[in-house]
Amino acid sequence: MTEITPDQRDAPIFKTFGELFAAGFSLDTTTWVFILTVHIAAVVLGGWLIFIAPNEWALIAAGWIVVHFILGSLSTTVYSHRLISHTAVKNVSIPVHLFFCFFGQVLSVQGSVRRWSANHVLHHGVDRHGKKELDPYSATWFPDTLRNFLWSHLLAHLFNHPESDAFLRSYNAKRHPIIMLQDRFYGLLITFWIFLFPMGLGYALGGWLGFVALLSGSVVGSVLVQHNTWTVNSVTHLWGWTKGLKSSAVNNFIWLGPLGEGNHHGDHHDFPRDYRNGFGWSGWALDPTRYIILLLRGLGLVKGLNHANRFEEAEIIAARKLARVDQLKSLNKDAAALYAHWENRVMALRQDWLEAVSRWETLRKESKLLQQANVSRKELTQDLRQAKALVKARKEEFFAAVEQLNYRAHRYSR
Ligand SMILES: [Zn+2]
Ligand SMILES: [Zn+2]
């Protein structure tokens, strides 16, 4: 971890958007014209679907939008994000690469997998080395929330960013032949799946009416997927309750649009190669992307899931808790000694808790091995239950001691 504090890490580096041009940014004409055109088309065609189109075609287009939205969103979260950018599984089979590269991920209209992944690796790079100027869609470049929102959500995609070795390294690192092929023919794939296919199918089914209806479904679906995915860069880095350790990302627990990527983004930045997006039961309950990865594993299409073990999770949670301990502003010698005593006590309780977690984790592994060997687990189940109870008790003790330490910090600071 870097030595900088969260305040230093999140300090703005630009005052206005105008300063970007002096720093080597320029508008990317192809992209902004494309995005603007698709947005205008979505509004016009969406209006046509709601107010003018015959009911049966409006319904068919609505179904198209829903399928497009779900497939496009999941393709980004499952494939571009977890499987490719973060190598959340050790082995991805050829059919999975083919399906997402030549169909699913194209529906997300976010650029090729190779480019998307290169940018996303830089987005996480700041967590490791603190160089936030390399994060393509940072939500902390500007001094106010509005600019940070606009940049991280939309504007970042409309600019050519200054060339960097870090981007090239990241781009060249993704060398799977199918991903490279998709990158090469990405323009053609977008033209086919977003425009030609729906227009052709619509025309075949219902003449010009079908042509316009399915084109409307495709264009509206594309715009909805884009904004849904972009909220991960904007909303989840700006608003929420549980701050992550290594980045500006926050767990907000409620933003479900990105199908598991939106609600536990703080957890994700603290352990990015996890195939899951959040720790604990709330992470499990709110993560459809995880269920799809488990389904792919069940079908034998991906193998070797990476995830934080309970000890690693507990270490992160303990560090977050300690990061929130208020520092003393001024104190006399006696108070300092007493405070130091309490601080040591908190650290000892943290160690006790982590040891209990480690013991529980070992027992769980043993239990799994015995289960495979068909040995009676009665005794081990009892041990497991006790180990789990000890983890809970020590965690509560540690949490209570942190609260006490904060209370003392306030008292002595007065
Ligand atoms: Zn992020
Ligand atoms: Zn990520």
Side-chain angles (χ1 to χ4, degrees), residues 81 85-86 115-141 152 166-167 170 230 232-234 236-237 246-249 265 268-269 272:
H81 187 227
S85 301
H86 293 300
R115 287 204 156 265
W116 195 98
S117 168
N119 279 322
H120 192 72
V121 168
L122 295 190
H123 171 65
H124 278 269
V126 66
D127 309 350
R128 296 194 302 273
H129 47 58
K131 289 185 188 159
K132 64 189 288 176
E133 64 278 13
L134 291 178
D135 179 354
Y137 28 78
S138 169
T140 59
W141 274 5
S152 57
F167 176 82
S170 181
W230 293 339
V232 181
N233 307 330
S234 56
T236 68
H237 276 266
K246 296 182 181 174
S247 69
S248 58
H265 202 55
H268 169 62
H269 271 266

mmCIF file of all heavy atoms in Angstrom, residues 81 85-86 115-141 152 166-167 170 230 232-234 236-237 246-249 265 268-269 272:
data_model
loop_
_atom_site.group_PDB
_atom_site.id
_atom_site.type_symbol
_atom_site.label_atom_id
_atom_site.label_comp_id
_atom_site.label_asym_id
_atom_site.label_seq_id
_atom_site.Cartn_x
_atom_site.Cartn_y
_atom_site.Cartn_z
ATOM 1 N N HIS A 81 -15.024 -7.189 -17.208
ATOM 2 C CA HIS A 81 -14.541 -6.761 -15.904
ATOM 3 C C HIS A 81 -13.902 -7.888 -15.106
ATOM 4 O O HIS A 81 -12.694 -7.937 -14.928
ATOM 5 C CB HIS A 81 -15.688 -6.098 -15.113
ATOM 6 C CG HIS A 81 -15.207 -5.494 -13.834
ATOM 7 N ND1 HIS A 81 -15.840 -5.680 -12.633
ATOM 8 C CD2 HIS A 81 -14.114 -4.741 -13.575
ATOM 9 C CE1 HIS A 81 -15.164 -5.038 -11.692
ATOM 10 N NE2 HIS A 81 -14.124 -4.465 -12.235
ATOM 11 N N SER A 85 -10.353 -8.308 -17.095
ATOM 12 C CA SER A 85 -9.528 -7.269 -16.458
ATOM 13 C C SER A 85 -8.899 -7.782 -15.169
ATOM 14 O O SER A 85 -7.750 -7.478 -14.876
ATOM 15 C CB SER A 85 -10.373 -6.029 -16.127
ATOM 16 O OG SER A 85 -10.941 -5.506 -17.280
ATOM 17 N N HIS A 86 -9.670 -8.532 -14.377
ATOM 18 C CA HIS A 86 -9.169 -8.917 -13.047
ATOM 19 C C HIS A 86 -8.765 -10.381 -12.932
ATOM 20 O O HIS A 86 -8.438 -10.835 -11.834
ATOM 21 C CB HIS A 86 -10.221 -8.589 -11.983
ATOM 22 C CG HIS A 86 -10.433 -7.117 -11.811
ATOM 23 N ND1 HIS A 86 -9.415 -6.276 -11.429
ATOM 24 C CD2 HIS A 86 -11.516 -6.329 -11.984
ATOM 25 C CE1 HIS A 86 -9.865 -5.040 -11.378
ATOM 26 N NE2 HIS A 86 -11.141 -5.041 -11.714
ATOM 27 N N ARG A 115 -9.430 -2.719 -25.151
ATOM 28 C CA ARG A 115 -9.314 -1.312 -24.722
ATOM 29 C C ARG A 115 -9.978 -1.104 -23.366
ATOM 30 O O ARG A 115 -9.455 -0.435 -22.486
ATOM 31 C CB ARG A 115 -10.009 -0.378 -25.732
ATOM 32 C CG ARG A 115 -9.268 -0.231 -26.973
ATOM 33 C CD ARG A 115 -9.552 1.033 -27.757
ATOM 34 N NE ARG A 115 -8.383 1.276 -28.583
ATOM 35 C CZ ARG A 115 -7.394 2.070 -28.243
ATOM 36 N NH1 ARG A 115 -7.443 2.778 -27.153
ATOM 37 N NH2 ARG A 115 -6.335 2.197 -29.010
ATOM 38 N N TRP A 116 -11.170 -1.693 -23.221
ATOM 39 C CA TRP A 116 -11.928 -1.532 -21.973
ATOM 40 C C TRP A 116 -11.080 -2.022 -20.796
ATOM 41 O O TRP A 116 -10.936 -1.354 -19.781
ATOM 42 C CB TRP A 116 -13.232 -2.342 -22.058
ATOM 43 C CG TRP A 116 -14.230 -1.973 -21.006
ATOM 44 C CD1 TRP A 116 -15.287 -1.131 -21.146
ATOM 45 C CD2 TRP A 116 -14.260 -2.432 -19.643
ATOM 46 N NE1 TRP A 116 -15.967 -1.025 -19.954
ATOM 47 C CE2 TRP A 116 -15.359 -1.808 -19.025
ATOM 48 C CE3 TRP A 116 -13.468 -3.283 -18.890
ATOM 49 C CZ2 TRP A 116 -15.684 -2.028 -17.685
ATOM 50 C CZ3 TRP A 116 -13.787 -3.497 -17.545
ATOM 51 C CH2 TRP A 116 -14.886 -2.870 -16.971
ATOM 52 N N SER A 117 -10.500 -3.202 -21.012
ATOM 53 C CA SER A 117 -9.739 -3.825 -19.943
ATOM 54 C C SER A 117 -8.458 -3.032 -19.636
ATOM 55 O O SER A 117 -8.099 -2.848 -18.467
ATOM 56 C CB SER A 117 -9.419 -5.255 -20.399
ATOM 57 O OG SER A 117 -8.486 -5.804 -19.583
ATOM 58 N N ALA A 118 -7.789 -2.524 -20.693
ATOM 59 C CA ALA A 118 -6.569 -1.730 -20.476
ATOM 60 C C ALA A 118 -6.906 -0.494 -19.627
ATOM 61 O O ALA A 118 -6.195 -0.171 -18.665
ATOM 62 C CB ALA A 118 -5.985 -1.304 -21.814
ATOM 63 N N ASN A 119 -8.001 0.189 -19.965
ATOM 64 C CA ASN A 119 -8.408 1.366 -19.189
ATOM 65 C C ASN A 119 -8.780 0.994 -17.764
ATOM 66 O O ASN A 119 -8.467 1.706 -16.810
ATOM 67 C CB ASN A 119 -9.601 2.054 -19.863
ATOM 68 C CG ASN A 119 -9.157 2.941 -21.001
ATOM 69 O OD1 ASN A 119 -8.126 3.603 -20.927
ATOM 70 N ND2 ASN A 119 -9.909 2.934 -22.092
ATOM 71 N N HIS A 120 -9.455 -0.157 -17.613
ATOM 72 C CA HIS A 120 -9.904 -0.527 -16.274
ATOM 73 C C HIS A 120 -8.732 -0.892 -15.354
ATOM 74 O O HIS A 120 -8.753 -0.589 -14.162
ATOM 75 C CB HIS A 120 -10.916 -1.668 -16.333
ATOM 76 C CG HIS A 120 -11.597 -1.853 -15.021
ATOM 77 N ND1 HIS A 120 -12.540 -0.965 -14.538
ATOM 78 C CD2 HIS A 120 -11.435 -2.774 -14.045
ATOM 79 C CE1 HIS A 120 -12.931 -1.341 -13.347
ATOM 80 N NE2 HIS A 120 -12.270 -2.440 -13.011
ATOM 81 N N VAL A 121 -7.702 -1.514 -15.932
ATOM 82 C CA VAL A 121 -6.518 -1.829 -15.125
ATOM 83 C C VAL A 121 -5.887 -0.521 -14.622
ATOM 84 O O VAL A 121 -5.459 -0.422 -13.466
ATOM 85 C CB VAL A 121 -5.518 -2.676 -15.945
ATOM 86 C CG1 VAL A 121 -4.173 -2.778 -15.242
ATOM 87 C CG2 VAL A 121 -6.096 -4.071 -16.196
ATOM 88 N N LEU A 122 -5.865 0.518 -15.475
ATOM 89 C CA LEU A 122 -5.323 1.815 -15.035
ATOM 90 C C LEU A 122 -6.204 2.446 -13.956
ATOM 91 O O LEU A 122 -5.718 3.111 -13.052
ATOM 92 C CB LEU A 122 -5.209 2.787 -16.210
ATOM 93 C CG LEU A 122 -4.228 2.428 -17.327
ATOM 94 C CD1 LEU A 122 -4.068 3.601 -18.281
ATOM 95 C CD2 LEU A 122 -2.874 2.048 -16.775
ATOM 96 N N HIS A 123 -7.523 2.224 -14.081
ATOM 97 C CA HIS A 123 -8.450 2.736 -13.066
ATOM 98 C C HIS A 123 -8.095 2.174 -11.685
ATOM 99 O O HIS A 123 -8.154 2.872 -10.676
ATOM 100 C CB HIS A 123 -9.879 2.348 -13.463
ATOM 101 C CG HIS A 123 -10.927 2.606 -12.420
ATOM 102 N ND1 HIS A 123 -11.249 3.873 -12.001
ATOM 103 C CD2 HIS A 123 -11.709 1.757 -11.706
ATOM 104 C CE1 HIS A 123 -12.206 3.798 -11.080
ATOM 105 N NE2 HIS A 123 -12.495 2.527 -10.883
ATOM 106 N N HIS A 124 -7.689 0.901 -11.636
ATOM 107 C CA HIS A 124 -7.308 0.289 -10.353
ATOM 108 C C HIS A 124 -5.861 0.601 -9.976
ATOM 109 O O HIS A 124 -5.492 0.445 -8.813
ATOM 110 C CB HIS A 124 -7.463 -1.238 -10.426
ATOM 111 C CG HIS A 124 -8.870 -1.690 -10.209
ATOM 112 N ND1 HIS A 124 -9.370 -2.018 -8.970
ATOM 113 C CD2 HIS A 124 -9.903 -1.852 -11.069
ATOM 114 C CE1 HIS A 124 -10.640 -2.373 -9.090
ATOM 115 N NE2 HIS A 124 -10.992 -2.279 -10.351
ATOM 116 N N GLY A 125 -5.047 1.020 -10.972
ATOM 117 C CA GLY A 125 -3.621 1.243 -10.707
ATOM 118 C C GLY A 125 -3.408 2.235 -9.580
ATOM 119 O O GLY A 125 -2.498 2.084 -8.768
ATOM 120 N N VAL A 126 -4.277 3.236 -9.515
ATOM 121 C CA VAL A 126 -4.127 4.277 -8.495
ATOM 122 C C VAL A 126 -4.152 3.685 -7.075
ATOM 123 O O VAL A 126 -3.513 4.193 -6.159
ATOM 124 C CB VAL A 126 -5.221 5.370 -8.696
ATOM 125 C CG1 VAL A 126 -6.597 4.842 -8.449
ATOM 126 C CG2 VAL A 126 -4.952 6.571 -7.836
ATOM 127 N N ASP A 127 -4.856 2.573 -6.895
ATOM 128 C CA ASP A 127 -4.913 1.919 -5.579
ATOM 129 C C ASP A 127 -3.540 1.383 -5.171
ATOM 130 O O ASP A 127 -3.240 1.241 -3.993
ATOM 131 C CB ASP A 127 -5.885 0.721 -5.578
ATOM 132 C CG ASP A 127 -7.246 1.082 -6.141
ATOM 133 O OD1 ASP A 127 -7.492 2.279 -6.348
ATOM 134 O OD2 ASP A 127 -8.041 0.163 -6.366
ATOM 135 N N ARG A 128 -2.712 1.053 -6.168
ATOM 136 C CA ARG A 128 -1.413 0.446 -5.858
ATOM 137 C C ARG A 128 -0.307 1.490 -5.764
ATOM 138 O O ARG A 128 0.516 1.447 -4.864
ATOM 139 C CB ARG A 128 -1.043 -0.587 -6.931
ATOM 140 C CG ARG A 128 -1.979 -1.771 -7.012
ATOM 141 C CD ARG A 128 -1.364 -2.878 -7.843
ATOM 142 N NE ARG A 128 -1.043 -2.415 -9.190
ATOM 143 C CZ ARG A 128 -1.909 -2.419 -10.209
ATOM 144 N NH1 ARG A 128 -3.125 -2.871 -10.022
ATOM 145 N NH2 ARG A 128 -1.550 -1.982 -11.404
ATOM 146 N N HIS A 129 -0.285 2.442 -6.725
ATOM 147 C CA HIS A 129 0.856 3.369 -6.736
ATOM 148 C C HIS A 129 0.451 4.830 -6.539
ATOM 149 O O HIS A 129 1.311 5.709 -6.517
ATOM 150 C CB HIS A 129 1.664 3.222 -8.030
ATOM 151 C CG HIS A 129 0.809 3.200 -9.273
ATOM 152 N ND1 HIS A 129 -0.045 4.222 -9.596
ATOM 153 C CD2 HIS A 129 0.665 2.272 -10.246
ATOM 154 C CE1 HIS A 129 -0.655 3.938 -10.731
ATOM 155 N NE2 HIS A 129 -0.258 2.753 -11.147
ATOM 156 N N GLY A 130 -0.840 5.100 -6.405
ATOM 157 C CA GLY A 130 -1.286 6.456 -6.085
ATOM 158 C C GLY A 130 -1.218 7.446 -7.244
ATOM 159 O O GLY A 130 -1.505 8.616 -7.059
ATOM 160 N N LYS A 131 -0.846 6.987 -8.470
ATOM 161 C CA LYS A 131 -0.747 7.947 -9.588
ATOM 162 C C LYS A 131 -2.127 8.146 -10.208
ATOM 163 O O LYS A 131 -2.478 7.520 -11.216
ATOM 164 C CB LYS A 131 0.234 7.425 -10.641
ATOM 165 C CG LYS A 131 1.668 7.459 -10.173
ATOM 166 C CD LYS A 131 2.578 7.038 -11.306
ATOM 167 C CE LYS A 131 3.992 6.870 -10.778
ATOM 168 N NZ LYS A 131 4.800 6.009 -11.645
ATOM 169 N N LYS A 132 -2.900 9.041 -9.600
ATOM 170 C CA LYS A 132 -4.292 9.180 -10.033
ATOM 171 C C LYS A 132 -4.428 9.788 -11.417
ATOM 172 O O LYS A 132 -5.444 9.633 -12.065
ATOM 173 C CB LYS A 132 -5.085 9.984 -9.008
ATOM 174 C CG LYS A 132 -4.606 11.408 -8.879
ATOM 175 C CD LYS A 132 -5.255 12.086 -7.736
ATOM 176 C CE LYS A 132 -6.703 12.392 -8.000
ATOM 177 N NZ LYS A 132 -7.360 12.966 -6.840
ATOM 178 N N GLU A 133 -3.367 10.478 -11.891
ATOM 179 C CA GLU A 133 -3.449 11.068 -13.231
ATOM 180 C C GLU A 133 -3.560 9.983 -14.298
ATOM 181 O O GLU A 133 -3.957 10.247 -15.433
ATOM 182 C CB GLU A 133 -2.255 11.998 -13.502
ATOM 183 C CG GLU A 133 -0.880 11.352 -13.536
ATOM 184 C CD GLU A 133 -0.275 11.138 -12.140
ATOM 185 O OE1 GLU A 133 -1.015 11.254 -11.142
ATOM 186 O OE2 GLU A 133 0.930 10.830 -12.076
ATOM 187 N N LEU A 134 -3.221 8.730 -13.954
ATOM 188 C CA LEU A 134 -3.315 7.637 -14.935
ATOM 189 C C LEU A 134 -4.713 7.002 -14.965
ATOM 190 O O LEU A 134 -5.032 6.250 -15.877
ATOM 191 C CB LEU A 134 -2.286 6.550 -14.601
ATOM 192 C CG LEU A 134 -0.818 6.923 -14.812
ATOM 193 C CD1 LEU A 134 0.085 5.768 -14.405
ATOM 194 C CD2 LEU A 134 -0.555 7.298 -16.272
ATOM 195 N N ASP A 135 -5.536 7.287 -13.958
ATOM 196 C CA ASP A 135 -6.890 6.705 -13.913
ATOM 197 C C ASP A 135 -7.748 7.392 -14.980
ATOM 198 O O ASP A 135 -8.024 8.585 -14.875
ATOM 199 C CB ASP A 135 -7.464 6.936 -12.504
ATOM 200 C CG ASP A 135 -8.876 6.380 -12.369
ATOM 201 O OD1 ASP A 135 -9.444 5.920 -13.383
ATOM 202 O OD2 ASP A 135 -9.400 6.411 -11.246
ATOM 203 N N PRO A 136 -8.184 6.680 -16.023
ATOM 204 C CA PRO A 136 -8.871 7.362 -17.128
ATOM 205 C C PRO A 136 -10.200 7.991 -16.718
ATOM 206 O O PRO A 136 -10.624 8.969 -17.311
ATOM 207 C CB PRO A 136 -9.114 6.257 -18.152
ATOM 208 C CG PRO A 136 -8.421 5.049 -17.655
ATOM 209 C CD PRO A 136 -8.111 5.240 -16.213
ATOM 210 N N TYR A 137 -10.901 7.362 -15.755
ATOM 211 C CA TYR A 137 -12.193 7.953 -15.367
ATOM 212 C C TYR A 137 -12.258 8.175 -13.853
ATOM 213 O O TYR A 137 -13.207 7.769 -13.186
ATOM 214 C CB TYR A 137 -13.386 7.129 -15.858
ATOM 215 C CG TYR A 137 -13.132 5.635 -16.030
ATOM 216 C CD1 TYR A 137 -13.109 4.782 -14.944
ATOM 217 C CD2 TYR A 137 -12.957 5.093 -17.303
ATOM 218 C CE1 TYR A 137 -12.909 3.418 -15.114
ATOM 219 C CE2 TYR A 137 -12.746 3.728 -17.486
ATOM 220 C CZ TYR A 137 -12.722 2.901 -16.391
ATOM 221 O OH TYR A 137 -12.517 1.548 -16.561
ATOM 222 N N SER A 138 -11.231 8.868 -13.376
ATOM 223 C CA SER A 138 -11.157 9.173 -11.942
ATOM 224 C C SER A 138 -12.327 10.058 -11.510
ATOM 225 O O SER A 138 -12.726 10.967 -12.239
ATOM 226 C CB SER A 138 -9.855 9.911 -11.663
ATOM 227 O OG SER A 138 -9.873 10.432 -10.359
ATOM 228 N N ALA A 139 -12.857 9.796 -10.318
ATOM 229 C CA ALA A 139 -13.936 10.636 -9.784
ATOM 230 C C ALA A 139 -13.386 11.622 -8.755
ATOM 231 O O ALA A 139 -14.132 12.186 -7.956
ATOM 232 C CB ALA A 139 -15.018 9.763 -9.162
ATOM 233 N N THR A 140 -12.040 11.834 -8.770
ATOM 234 C CA THR A 140 -11.457 12.759 -7.782
ATOM 235 C C THR A 140 -10.479 13.741 -8.439
ATOM 236 O O THR A 140 -9.605 14.272 -7.772
ATOM 237 C CB THR A 140 -10.715 11.977 -6.659
ATOM 238 O OG1 THR A 140 -9.681 11.186 -7.266
ATOM 239 C CG2 THR A 140 -11.637 11.088 -5.875
ATOM 240 N N TRP A 141 -10.616 13.989 -9.730
ATOM 241 C CA TRP A 141 -9.695 14.920 -10.393
ATOM 242 C C TRP A 141 -10.056 16.383 -10.138
ATOM 243 O O TRP A 141 -9.230 17.261 -10.250
ATOM 244 C CB TRP A 141 -9.717 14.683 -11.912
ATOM 245 C CG TRP A 141 -8.779 13.626 -12.379
ATOM 246 C CD1 TRP A 141 -8.003 12.808 -11.604
ATOM 247 C CD2 TRP A 141 -8.495 13.275 -13.740
ATOM 248 N NE1 TRP A 141 -7.271 11.961 -12.393
ATOM 249 C CE2 TRP A 141 -7.551 12.223 -13.715
ATOM 250 C CE3 TRP A 141 -8.958 13.731 -14.970
ATOM 251 C CZ2 TRP A 141 -7.049 11.638 -14.876
ATOM 252 C CZ3 TRP A 141 -8.463 13.138 -16.131
ATOM 253 C CH2 TRP A 141 -7.508 12.106 -16.083
ATOM 254 N N SER A 152 -16.267 11.403 -14.616
ATOM 255 C CA SER A 152 -16.151 9.950 -14.440
ATOM 256 C C SER A 152 -17.283 9.208 -15.141
ATOM 257 O O SER A 152 -17.111 8.080 -15.575
ATOM 258 C CB SER A 152 -16.132 9.589 -12.949
ATOM 259 O OG SER A 152 -17.292 10.086 -12.317
ATOM 260 N N ALA A 166 1.965 3.379 -19.537
ATOM 261 C CA ALA A 166 1.144 2.517 -18.667
ATOM 262 C C ALA A 166 -0.033 1.948 -19.474
ATOM 263 O O ALA A 166 -0.359 0.760 -19.369
ATOM 264 C CB ALA A 166 0.638 3.316 -17.476
ATOM 265 N N PHE A 167 -0.687 2.806 -20.305
ATOM 266 C CA PHE A 167 -1.813 2.307 -21.104
ATOM 267 C C PHE A 167 -1.330 1.256 -22.102
ATOM 268 O O PHE A 167 -1.932 0.187 -22.237
ATOM 269 C CB PHE A 167 -2.526 3.453 -21.850
ATOM 270 C CG PHE A 167 -3.633 2.943 -22.752
ATOM 271 C CD1 PHE A 167 -4.885 2.654 -22.230
ATOM 272 C CD2 PHE A 167 -3.393 2.693 -24.092
ATOM 273 C CE1 PHE A 167 -5.900 2.137 -23.045
ATOM 274 C CE2 PHE A 167 -4.397 2.170 -24.917
ATOM 275 C CZ PHE A 167 -5.646 1.904 -24.389
ATOM 276 N N SER A 170 -0.611 -2.016 -20.503
ATOM 277 C CA SER A 170 -1.853 -2.657 -20.092
ATOM 278 C C SER A 170 -2.595 -3.223 -21.315
ATOM 279 O O SER A 170 -3.133 -4.336 -21.291
ATOM 280 C CB SER A 170 -2.691 -1.590 -19.380
ATOM 281 O OG SER A 170 -3.869 -2.096 -18.928
ATOM 282 N N TRP A 230 -21.638 3.066 -16.736
ATOM 283 C CA TRP A 230 -20.863 4.238 -16.325
ATOM 284 C C TRP A 230 -21.131 4.633 -14.874
ATOM 285 O O TRP A 230 -20.290 5.274 -14.246
ATOM 286 C CB TRP A 230 -21.173 5.432 -17.251
ATOM 287 C CG TRP A 230 -20.687 5.232 -18.658
ATOM 288 C CD1 TRP A 230 -19.698 4.367 -19.080
ATOM 289 C CD2 TRP A 230 -21.160 5.891 -19.838
ATOM 290 N NE1 TRP A 230 -19.536 4.458 -20.433
ATOM 291 C CE2 TRP A 230 -20.420 5.388 -20.940
ATOM 292 C CE3 TRP A 230 -22.133 6.860 -20.080
ATOM 293 C CZ2 TRP A 230 -20.620 5.818 -22.254
ATOM 294 C CZ3 TRP A 230 -22.332 7.291 -21.388
ATOM 295 C CH2 TRP A 230 -21.582 6.781 -22.458
ATOM 296 N N VAL A 232 -20.955 2.849 -12.427
ATOM 297 C CA VAL A 232 -19.959 2.204 -11.552
ATOM 298 C C VAL A 232 -18.769 3.153 -11.348
ATOM 299 O O VAL A 232 -18.215 3.256 -10.254
ATOM 300 C CB VAL A 232 -19.484 0.853 -12.135
ATOM 301 C CG1 VAL A 232 -18.482 0.193 -11.212
ATOM 302 C CG2 VAL A 232 -20.664 -0.066 -12.375
ATOM 303 N N ASN A 233 -18.391 3.872 -12.407
ATOM 304 C CA ASN A 233 -17.263 4.803 -12.292
ATOM 305 C C ASN A 233 -17.656 6.082 -11.553
ATOM 306 O O ASN A 233 -16.821 6.707 -10.899
ATOM 307 C CB ASN A 233 -16.748 5.209 -13.675
ATOM 308 C CG ASN A 233 -16.425 4.008 -14.522
ATOM 309 O OD1 ASN A 233 -16.060 2.965 -14.004
ATOM 310 N ND2 ASN A 233 -16.573 4.140 -15.833
ATOM 311 N N SER A 234 -18.903 6.494 -11.702
ATOM 312 C CA SER A 234 -19.312 7.774 -11.115
ATOM 313 C C SER A 234 -19.976 7.578 -9.750
ATOM 314 O O SER A 234 -19.355 7.861 -8.706
ATOM 315 C CB SER A 234 -20.267 8.496 -12.067
ATOM 316 O OG SER A 234 -21.390 7.681 -12.383
ATOM 317 N N THR A 236 -20.593 5.026 -7.735
ATOM 318 C CA THR A 236 -19.991 4.204 -6.674
ATOM 319 C C THR A 236 -18.664 4.764 -6.170
ATOM 320 O O THR A 236 -18.107 4.252 -5.215
ATOM 321 C CB THR A 236 -19.784 2.753 -7.139
ATOM 322 O OG1 THR A 236 -18.787 2.759 -8.145
ATOM 323 C CG2 THR A 236 -21.044 2.141 -7.693
ATOM 324 N N HIS A 237 -18.146 5.800 -6.855
ATOM 325 C CA HIS A 237 -16.932 6.451 -6.334
ATOM 326 C C HIS A 237 -17.267 7.775 -5.636
ATOM 327 O O HIS A 237 -16.376 8.456 -5.149
ATOM 328 C CB HIS A 237 -15.933 6.711 -7.473
ATOM 329 C CG HIS A 237 -15.093 5.511 -7.780
ATOM 330 N ND1 HIS A 237 -13.845 5.299 -7.222
ATOM 331 C CD2 HIS A 237 -15.339 4.421 -8.545
ATOM 332 C CE1 HIS A 237 -13.345 4.149 -7.661
ATOM 333 N NE2 HIS A 237 -14.238 3.594 -8.461
ATOM 334 N N LYS A 246 -8.418 1.355 -0.171
ATOM 335 C CA LYS A 246 -7.366 1.695 -1.118
ATOM 336 C C LYS A 246 -7.776 2.719 -2.166
ATOM 337 O O LYS A 246 -6.956 3.127 -2.960
ATOM 338 C CB LYS A 246 -6.929 0.420 -1.851
ATOM 339 C CG LYS A 246 -6.314 -0.608 -0.927
ATOM 340 C CD LYS A 246 -5.864 -1.798 -1.730
ATOM 341 C CE LYS A 246 -5.257 -2.852 -0.817
ATOM 342 N NZ LYS A 246 -4.945 -4.065 -1.563
ATOM 343 N N SER A 247 -9.053 3.080 -2.231
ATOM 344 C CA SER A 247 -9.504 3.946 -3.326
ATOM 345 C C SER A 247 -10.614 4.849 -2.833
ATOM 346 O O SER A 247 -11.001 4.796 -1.671
ATOM 347 C CB SER A 247 -10.053 3.073 -4.450
ATOM 348 O OG SER A 247 -11.251 2.485 -3.998
ATOM 349 N N SER A 248 -11.148 5.652 -3.777
ATOM 350 C CA SER A 248 -12.291 6.490 -3.404
ATOM 351 C C SER A 248 -13.600 5.697 -3.479
ATOM 352 O O SER A 248 -14.668 6.236 -3.187
ATOM 353 C CB SER A 248 -12.371 7.703 -4.341
ATOM 354 O OG SER A 248 -12.483 7.270 -5.689
ATOM 355 N N ALA A 249 -13.545 4.426 -3.897
ATOM 356 C CA ALA A 249 -14.773 3.629 -4.042
ATOM 357 C C ALA A 249 -15.444 3.377 -2.689
ATOM 358 O O ALA A 249 -14.780 3.218 -1.676
ATOM 359 C CB ALA A 249 -14.447 2.297 -4.705
ATOM 360 N N HIS A 265 -18.653 -1.606 -4.408
ATOM 361 C CA HIS A 265 -17.464 -1.259 -5.189
ATOM 362 C C HIS A 265 -16.240 -1.012 -4.295
ATOM 363 O O HIS A 265 -15.099 -1.208 -4.721
ATOM 364 C CB HIS A 265 -17.765 -0.037 -6.060
ATOM 365 C CG HIS A 265 -16.856 0.090 -7.244
ATOM 366 N ND1 HIS A 265 -16.688 -0.921 -8.163
ATOM 367 C CD2 HIS A 265 -16.036 1.107 -7.663
ATOM 368 C CE1 HIS A 265 -15.813 -0.534 -9.095
ATOM 369 N NE2 HIS A 265 -15.409 0.688 -8.805
ATOM 370 N N HIS A 268 -14.703 -4.283 -3.796
ATOM 371 C CA HIS A 268 -14.050 -4.705 -5.041
ATOM 372 C C HIS A 268 -12.664 -4.077 -5.191
ATOM 373 O O HIS A 268 -11.694 -4.760 -5.529
ATOM 374 C CB HIS A 268 -14.921 -4.349 -6.247
ATOM 375 C CG HIS A 268 -14.206 -4.518 -7.547
ATOM 376 N ND1 HIS A 268 -13.735 -5.747 -7.980
ATOM 377 C CD2 HIS A 268 -13.816 -3.618 -8.500
ATOM 378 C CE1 HIS A 268 -13.110 -5.588 -9.132
ATOM 379 N NE2 HIS A 268 -13.148 -4.318 -9.464
ATOM 380 N N HIS A 269 -12.548 -2.772 -4.911
ATOM 381 C CA HIS A 269 -11.235 -2.135 -5.052
ATOM 382 C C HIS A 269 -10.243 -2.654 -4.020
ATOM 383 O O HIS A 269 -9.040 -2.648 -4.268
ATOM 384 C CB HIS A 269 -11.364 -0.612 -4.922
ATOM 385 C CG HIS A 269 -11.626 0.071 -6.237
ATOM 386 N ND1 HIS A 269 -10.625 0.584 -7.027
ATOM 387 C CD2 HIS A 269 -12.780 0.285 -6.918
ATOM 388 C CE1 HIS A 269 -11.156 1.112 -8.131
ATOM 389 N NE2 HIS A 269 -12.460 0.941 -8.076
ATOM 390 N N PRO A 272 -9.482 -6.777 -5.742
ATOM 391 C CA PRO A 272 -10.063 -6.766 -7.095
ATOM 392 C C PRO A 272 -10.089 -8.094 -7.838
ATOM 393 O O PRO A 272 -10.900 -8.258 -8.736
ATOM 394 C CB PRO A 272 -9.206 -5.745 -7.851
ATOM 395 C CG PRO A 272 -8.068 -5.407 -6.993
ATOM 396 C CD PRO A 272 -8.317 -5.897 -5.617
#
